[in-house]
Amino acid sequence: MIRVLVGRRCTVYAGAALIATLALGPGRASAGVAGQWNLITDTGISNISEVGLARTPDGTLHAAWSVQQGDDSEELVTAPVTPSGAGAGTAVVSAWASIDNPALGLAPGGGLQAFFGGIHTLASTDPHADENLATSTDGGLSWSLTAADVVAPGAAAYASQVAVSNSFAAQTSPFETWTGTSGVWVHAGTGSGTANADYQTALGGCCGYYANLAADATGNTELAWYSNASGRGGIWAQAVSSSGAASGSPQQMPKTASLGVGELQRTPIVARPQGGFYVAYPIGYPSFTGVELWKVGGSALKIAGAHVPAVAGDAVDQDGRVWVFWSSNIGHQPQLFATRSNPSVTRLGAIVAIGSPAHTTGVFSIDGNASKDGLDLFTTESMSGGTANASIWARHVDPGLSVTLAPSAAKLDHAAKVTVDVNDAGVPVRNATVKLGGHTVKTNAAGRARIELTASGALTAVASHSGYVKGSARLRVKR
């Protein structure tokens, strides 16, 4: 992970293009520590800041966020999160009148795209006063801004966070979504001459919020958002046609019709490369009581142990495993947790306790990007000193091991024979190291090991494997 302390940057305009210099001094990045929370922005950013994330084909994860400068203008910053944990912050644009939460996507044909709602200046003739697009062809080292806005005017994209369809997409151009002027809008492509489609109208009008998009490997695209329209509240999802218009009918996530309030972040939706769209969201009324993972158009999996959540999110890896992560108000400091599904998303694995950075007083958004190596988790949190003293943190998370014992209790005559099974969301884990009652053994191809115990009392079996968080199970052996 990286730490990017954002300072002032110099930008040079050349016609319609913008050239951003690499940050010096306080913008210099330093390597973080694996398995620990790493600060990636200065404190004092807005508590409603949310990162945009995209992973390029070389495996590098890129993050983008907006930050207020000393003169109250806004700056858009991107930075890479490399496997070695090193990266450097780059200004996409600086000295704008306003910038809302950005989205990152993969440009058709290669490169990165940064979409953001914002107003460059207050001049009526300024061509940048709605939704904007910048493109990088060198891995985020420099950015070129389009000549003008990229969506049809009139839907207030300048004042909304934006999301794009960039997950496993086989699309010739992206879709963008935002909320504003009582609508939930989707736009196809990057031309302002193409109409914006309003999805909230079908739910009776005002109002919809926190829209998000996901696209699968064949280009199928789904929109998800929060609605508080009378009698049509809760979380909704709907297919997006090639023109950007709604396809089919909107579908409501079970147990969300009575939600009193939505999260202050994009509605978490992901697409598996093998097909299927999944939304992770808190349930319960009048306050959240748990988290469920909903397959759009199907049933939902309740996540055991996800109590009193504040916010939730999801991510998917190349194997189709879905991660779900959430924060819970436990004690005086919020805590974060995560779990990963099996490849068919029919079962969830062990819950991993992630904690939170020291002195955290509130979690406002959580975002993640998954790969074969695990989950990269980003969170915007307020620290001691109030909500104005917020910052963005990041941490790498490994999946957890589950351990089961048979029998779970035994009587010791001469030896107690115990079978230990180690799995990852039901998938057997081979060559896991199991320690129990003074014995150390390895699991076989079925994720199983057998141990003959001579010790008695309350024992704990602990399983470990590289790339996983340890799992354990307790056993009582009586004489």
Side-chain angles (χ1 to χ4, degrees):
M1 291 296 178
I2 57 172
R3 184 180 183 187
V4 180
L5 300 180
V6 180
R8 300 298 299 273
R9 292 164 177 80
C10 173
T11 57
V12 180
Y13 284 91
L18 177 145
I19 302 172
T21 63
L22 287 178
L24 301 176
R28 185 176 60 248
S30 61
V33 179
Q36 295 186 14
W37 287 105
N38 295 288
L39 183 66
I40 66 168
T41 70
D42 283 326
T43 57
I45 69 168
S46 169
N47 64 341
I48 60 172
S49 293
E50 186 178 2
V51 295
L53 299 172
R55 193 179 297 272
T56 47
D58 64 358
T60 301
L61 178 61
H62 298 263
W65 64 92
S66 62
V67 64
Q68 190 173 63
Q69 298 179 281
D71 57 0
D72 291 332
S73 66
E74 298 281 336
E75 180 175 63
L76 178 62
V77 179
T78 64
V81 180
T82 68
S84 64
T90 300
V92 179
V93 295
S94 292
W96 278 48
S98 68
I99 295 175
D100 217 295
N101 292 329
L104 284 182
L106 303 180
L112 284 167
Q113 292 179 320
F115 292 84
F116 58 101
I119 298 173
H120 178 208
T121 68
L122 300 182
S124 60
T125 56
D126 196 309
H128 296 286
D130 209 356
E131 184 173 310
N132 309 276
L133 169 62
T135 302
S136 175
T137 59
D138 56 9
L141 295 177
S142 62
W143 293 85
S144 176
L145 187 68
T146 55
D149 293 319
V150 294
V151 300
Y158 64 87
S160 171
Q161 58 190 6
V162 63
V164 295
S165 55
N166 66 347
S167 301
F168 309 105
Q171 300 168 329
T172 57
S173 62
F175 296 97
E176 308 91 46
T177 186
W178 67 96
T179 57
T181 58
S182 303
V184 174
W185 303 96
V186 172
H187 182 270
T190 57
S192 60
T194 303
N196 307 321
D198 181 11
Y199 284 59
Q200 184 64 20
T201 300
L203 300 185
C206 190
C207 289
Y209 304 94
Y210 314 122
N212 202 0
L213 288 165
D216 65 18
T218 61
N220 295 317
T221 305
E222 194 84 12
L223 174 75
W225 74 100
Y226 169 79
S227 168
N228 69 350
S230 178
R232 307 296 295 276
I235 300 302
W236 293 81
Q238 189 161 10
V240 178
S241 69
S242 59
S243 67
S247 177
S249 300
Q251 301 180 73
Q252 186 182 53
M253 180 176 175
K255 302 180 185 179
T256 65
S258 298
L259 288 180
V261 65
E263 297 181 327
L264 298 177
Q265 64 176 47
R266 303 177 189 94
T267 300
I269 183 170
V270 294
R272 294 177 66 244
Q274 300 84 352
F277 296 91
Y278 292 81
V279 175
Y281 212 83
I283 58 171
Y285 179 83
S287 59
F288 296 141
T289 58
V291 177
E292 290 195 352
L293 178 65
W294 173 49
K295 182 178 182 181
V296 176
S299 58
L301 289 173
K302 183 174 178 60
I303 300 169
H307 302 300
V308 200
V311 291
D314 56 11
V316 65
D317 64 20
Q318 299 94 319
D319 295 330
R321 291 176 178 260
V322 175
W323 283 85
V324 183
F325 36 90
W326 64 96
S327 68
S328 289
N329 299 317
I330 298 176
H332 298 291
Q333 182 171 343
Q335 302 295 309
L336 280 85
F337 303 86
T339 182
R340 187 176 76 166
S341 77
N342 60 359
S344 58
V345 201
T346 57
R347 180 172 173 176
L348 295 168
I351 293 176
V352 176
I354 312 169
S356 61
H359 310 299
T360 296
T361 58
V363 177
F364 293 93
S365 70
I366 46 179
D367 297 270
N369 187 282
S371 69
K372 62 181 178 61
D373 297 321
L375 173 70
D376 291 304
L377 187 66
F378 293 75
T379 176
T380 301
E381 307 196 353
S382 61
M383 315 304 289
S384 298
T387 56
N389 193 29
S391 54
I392 298 175
W393 296 75
R395 177 173 175 168
H396 183 80
V397 182
D398 290 325
L401 292 175
S402 296
V403 181
T404 57
L405 303 175
S408 57
K411 185 174 182 180
L412 186 64
D413 294 326
H414 298 289
K417 296 181 179 179
V418 177
T419 299
V420 184
D421 286 295
V422 181
N423 69 81
D424 169 12
V427 179
V429 177
R430 183 177 185 174
N431 287 328
T433 300
V434 177
K435 294 184 177 182
L436 174 62
H439 299 270
T440 301
V441 296
K442 294 281 189 178
T443 56
N444 59 20
R448 177 167 292 178
R450 290 183 173 86
I451 298 175
E452 289 192 2
L453 294 173
T454 55
S456 61
L459 306 178
T460 300
V462 178
S464 61
H465 194 287
S466 61
Y468 288 93
V469 175
K470 292 180 180 179
S472 64
R474 294 185 64 82
L475 170 72
R476 177 167 291 279
V477 180
K478 297 180 179 179
R479 288 190 177 273

